[in-house]
Each structure stands twice: as C-alpha cells, then as structure tokens.
Amino acid sequence: EREAVGAVTEYLRGEQGRAAQVQIHLCTHQWWATEERESRFYLRRNQADKVYRDMVELHEAVHDVQARQCLVIDRAIRDAHRDGFDWLLHMDSDEALLVPQHRDARTFFASVAADYDQVVFRNLEAVPESLEIADWFREVSLFKVHQNLLQEDPTEKP
C-alpha cells in the first residue's frame, strides 16, 4: 500500500495530476474512529437487518478484505456525493483500467449517456506464478477471465 500511495502522490505532483480530482485517505486508527461515528454500517449494526452487523463483524473479527473495502467505498461514496462528483471509480492498487477508445477514465465517463447511473467493468484477475512479485504490470502475464466474459462452445457436447 505504501508504494501505491507514493505513486499517486507523485502523480499528483505532475502536470497532469494537478487537474485530477484524486483524494488520498490513509485508513489510520483516527480514520476508523471517525467511521465508527459516521458510517451507516456502524450506526445500523444493531438493527434487525443483519447486513450492517455482518459487514462490521467481518471487518473487525475476521479482518476480511472485502468487508474492509466495502466500508471504505461507502466512505468514498459519501465524500464523492458531498464534493459533487458525477462518477466514482474504485480500483485496487494492482488494477489498471483500459478504455482503448478513450484517452483516460475522465473522457470515458464523459461519454456515458446521462440516463446511466452505473457502469460495470468485468475485470481480468491476475494470477501470479510466483509469490515474489515486484511489479504486477510487468511480471504477471496469466489472468483468470471473469465468468461473464466466457462463452459456451456451441460445438462442444455435454
């Protein structure tokens, strides 16, 4: 994570980055204390709908990565709404967005018709062939294809 924060910080120092609307929030103990006071998941964890309780428990007791991501994304959504953002793109530090018909994510989202409120990207999950990976984008060449991108072979018999 330290490398990812460093890369984004360096990008923001560059000419292109000055125009980018990127925010970095380190999930420190103080950050989590604020979330416990403001997050709908923490505020509703004792309600009958157990989705809130389960998410918080998965994060606190099991240290589940997806639960933590869900809680952090919920905060990002609140911040984006407050700051007047039209779109929010969530990516992990080992992911890249490729939109060949567009210069970047900003031009892609500008091209999306106003009557759409969600865009779903099907990702290709990197499968490292070694435990020691220094650069995911240069060293990994094996990918697991998302199931929604697979097609049945019409010539194959069951």
Side-chain angles (χ1 to χ4, degrees), residues 48-140:
D49 186 348
K50 66 180 193 157
V51 71
Y52 300 105
R53 179 181 60 248
D54 289 351
M55 190 66 64
V56 171
E57 286 178 6
L58 279 170
H59 168 66
E60 292 181 344
V62 182
H63 305 289
D64 181 76
V65 172
Q66 289 183 324
R68 181 184 74 224
Q69 283 183 333
C70 186
L71 294 168
V72 171
I73 292 166
D74 188 61
R75 167 66 181 268
I77 291 169
R78 293 191 327 264
D79 289 351
H81 181 71
R82 178 198 67 215
D83 295 343
F85 280 60
D86 294 318
W87 291 99
L88 176 67
L89 175 65
H90 170 262
M91 295 172 51
D92 290 341
S93 61
D94 63 344
E95 295 175 338
L97 176 65
L98 176 64
V99 284
Q101 298 85 3
H102 299 276
R103 184 173 51 89
D104 56 24
R106 188 175 303 151
T107 60
F108 169 79
F109 285 109
S111 74
V112 176
D115 55 335
Y116 287 94
D117 60 2
Q118 180 176 349
V119 177
V120 177
F121 296 99
R122 305 293 183 206
N123 67 324
L124 301 178
E125 188 81 26
V127 181
E129 297 177 64
S130 166
L131 294 177
E132 300 298 322
I133 300 291
D135 187 332
W136 286 84
F137 299 103
R138 289 191 173 97
E139 298 177 38
V140 178

